[in-house]
Amino acid sequence: MPIRTRQRPARTATTAAVLLLAPTGRTALTYAGTALLLLLALAVALALGAAYASRPAHRTAARHTLHLLLRLAPWYPDRPQ
C-alpha cells in the first residue's frame, strides 16, 4: 500500500500570505516600532556626526539636519540652540 502525502490546496499559501501582510493591529504596531527605531538610529548617527565631525561645516550640517529631524517631535522647541 503506497504512502499518501497530503496535498494542500494552492489557496493555503495565498491565505497565509494575505494574513501576514494584512494591516492588523499587530502588524501595524510592528511597522510603527520599526519606523521609530530607524528614526532613532538616524538621530543618533546625526548627533554623533554633529559632535565628532572633523570639519566645522560637517558639524554644522549634521546639527541642522538633526534639528530638522527633531522638529517632528511635538516636545522639541522650534528654535535652534
Side-chain angles (χ1 to χ4, degrees):
M1 182 169 172
I3 298 174
R4 283 200 227 172
T5 58
R6 184 176 172 186
Q7 297 290 328
R8 293 187 178 162
R11 65 181 173 190
T12 305
T14 305
T15 305
V18 168
L19 287 176
L20 286 176
L21 297 176
T24 61
R26 187 174 183 179
T27 306
L29 283 175
T30 301
Y31 290 153
T34 303
L36 187 61
L37 285 176
L38 286 173
L39 280 174
L40 181 65
L42 178 62
V44 167
L46 288 171
L48 288 173
Y52 296 110
S54 60
R55 296 184 182 186
H58 293 169
R59 286 192 298 268
T60 303
R63 191 175 64 246
H64 284 291
T65 307
L66 179 62
H67 169 70
L68 289 174
L69 178 66
L70 288 176
R71 283 179 56 190
L72 295 172
W75 45 262
Y76 189 73
D78 198 23
R79 60 192 187 299
Q81 296 182 14

